[in-house]
């Protein structure tokens, strides 16, 4: 019988990127603060983050999307052993084709980093007004634009897109955006609520 610890080791040995323990811990706190019952994750990989969060939150229903078939089927294999309460639905589909059936309490964007802005624009409308969106790896292992001249063109493009996305999201005044310095950097995004007591006085 496999454990979550074994799954983490498999990901590390086979070079599959997964969330750090402190990232999972931080997301777990947000799930509690926002009383989340439904969670959508973009980027299952082999299921480490979704199966870990399901284990920590017995009442959480998780839908997770993965476009790579091999990873999806490997994740399903681990789900059979680790998802004892059947909380996690693993879907093999590109996140740009999937349409959620209802609004979500929590949405995690952990797919291709260069696509963050498009993921955000597609999925933020599916976040409940009380919900929280988390975007992982916003600092991509601490790599800075000035340090990447020797890297491949594709890598430089991805780092550039990540910084451009951070600048763009920080300029969006209709939402709350908070940067959290854990793991490779997280963005926490929530709806901005109108101050109803203020409007009531007009
Ligand atoms: C960083 S890994 C996810 C790690 C996982 N959340 C964990 O911590 O265990 C990113 C995954 O997103 C998948 N991905 C990238 N773009 C995607 C898309 N448009 N739709 C669905 N999956 C995508 C990749 O194939 C990859 O397996």
């Amino acid at each position: 019988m496999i454990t979550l610890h074994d799954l983490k080791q498999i990901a590390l040995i086979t070079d599959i990127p997964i969330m750090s323990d402190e990232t999972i811990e931080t997301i777990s706190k947000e799930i509690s603060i926002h009383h989340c019952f439904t969670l959508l994750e973009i980027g299952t990989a082999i299921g480490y983050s979704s199966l870990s969060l399901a284990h920590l939150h017995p009442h959480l229903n998780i839908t997770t999307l993965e476009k790579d078939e091999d990873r999806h089927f490997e994740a399903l294999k681990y789900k059979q052993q680790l998802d004892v309460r059947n909380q996690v639905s693993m879907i093999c589909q590109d996140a740009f084709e999937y349409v959620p059936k209802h609004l979500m309490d929590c949405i995690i964007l952990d797919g291709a980093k260069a696509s963050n802005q498009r993921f955000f624009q597609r999925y933020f409308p599916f976040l409940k007004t009380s919900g929280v969106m988390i975007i992982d790896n916003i600092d991509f292992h601490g790599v800075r634009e000035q340090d990447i001249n020797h890297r491949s063109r594709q890598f430089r493009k991805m780092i550039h897109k990540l910084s451009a996305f951070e600048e763009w999201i920080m300029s969006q005044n209709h939402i709350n955006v908070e940067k959290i310095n854990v793991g490779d950097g997280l963005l926490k995004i929530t709806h901005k609520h109108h101050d109803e007591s203020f409007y009531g006085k007009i």
Side-chain angles (χ1 to χ4, degrees):
M1 188 76 176
I2 195 173
T3 63
L4 281 167
H5 179 75
D6 298 334
L7 186 51
K8 181 161 83 177
Q9 297 312 313
I10 293 169
L12 294 176
I13 291 164
T14 54
D15 226 9
I16 291 172
I18 55 166
M19 283 178 194
S20 67
D21 291 341
E22 46 178 355
T23 297
I24 290 183
E25 202 179 300
T26 304
I27 294 177
S28 174
K29 278 189 197 142
E30 293 298 332
I31 288 170
S32 301
I33 293 169
H34 290 267
H35 307 289
C36 299
F37 286 95
T38 53
L39 183 151
L40 173 69
E41 176 189 57
I42 311 305
T44 315
I46 59 170
Y48 180 67
S49 50
S50 53
L51 292 167
S52 299
L53 291 171
H55 176 74
L56 292 167
H57 298 272
H59 302 293
L60 190 62
N61 259 297
I62 301 178
T63 302
T64 179
L65 308 180
E66 175 56 57
K67 67 175 181 180
D68 180 298
E69 267 195 23
D70 292 343
R71 286 190 177 174
H72 166 73
F73 285 114
E74 193 174 347
L76 277 183
K77 199 171 75 186
Y78 302 131
K79 169 186 154 60
Q80 274 177 7
Q81 298 183 55
L82 292 168
D83 188 14
V84 287
R85 286 177 290 263
N86 197 20
Q87 295 167 256
V88 185
S89 303
M90 295 179 171
I91 298 176
C92 188
Q93 195 171 5
D94 192 308
F96 291 114
E97 287 163 9
Y98 178 76
V99 182
K101 289 177 190 64
H102 44 78
L103 301 188
M104 295 285 170
D105 294 314
C106 180
I107 300 179
I108 300 174
L109 303 186
D110 195 19
K113 304 302 153 194
S115 303
N116 273 344
Q117 186 164 336
R118 289 205 298 143
F119 285 143
F120 172 81
Q121 285 166 324
R122 184 174 177 92
Y123 286 101
F124 194 71
F126 290 100
L127 185 71
K128 282 189 193 168
T129 48
S130 58
V132 60
M133 176 178 265
I134 303 282
I135 306 181
D136 192 20
N137 300 114
I138 205 71
D139 289 333
F140 206 78
H141 313 303
V143 175
R144 293 171 308 159
E145 286 223 64
Q146 56 267 43
D147 300 336
I148 56 172
N149 293 334
H150 62 293
R151 303 295 293 262
S152 70
R153 194 167 165 269
Q154 199 188 357
F155 185 85
R156 292 201 310 265
K157 207 169 153 192
M158 188 266 291
I159 295 295
H160 178 70
K161 275 202 161 185
L162 261 179
S163 332
F165 170 67
E166 190 177 338
E167 202 175 308
W168 177 81
I169 198 95
M170 290 295 182
S171 71
Q172 302 300 302
N173 293 325
H174 65 290
I175 50 176
N176 299 309
V177 185
E178 185 189 328
K179 192 160 178 182
I180 306 177
N181 284 324
V182 299
D184 284 342
L186 298 176
L187 284 182
K188 168 183 166 179
I189 303 171
T190 54
H191 286 278
K192 211 170 235 180
H193 297 290
H194 294 295
D195 181 351
E196 279 162 23
S197 58
F198 172 80
Y199 286 107
K201 284 176 195 143
I202 297 175

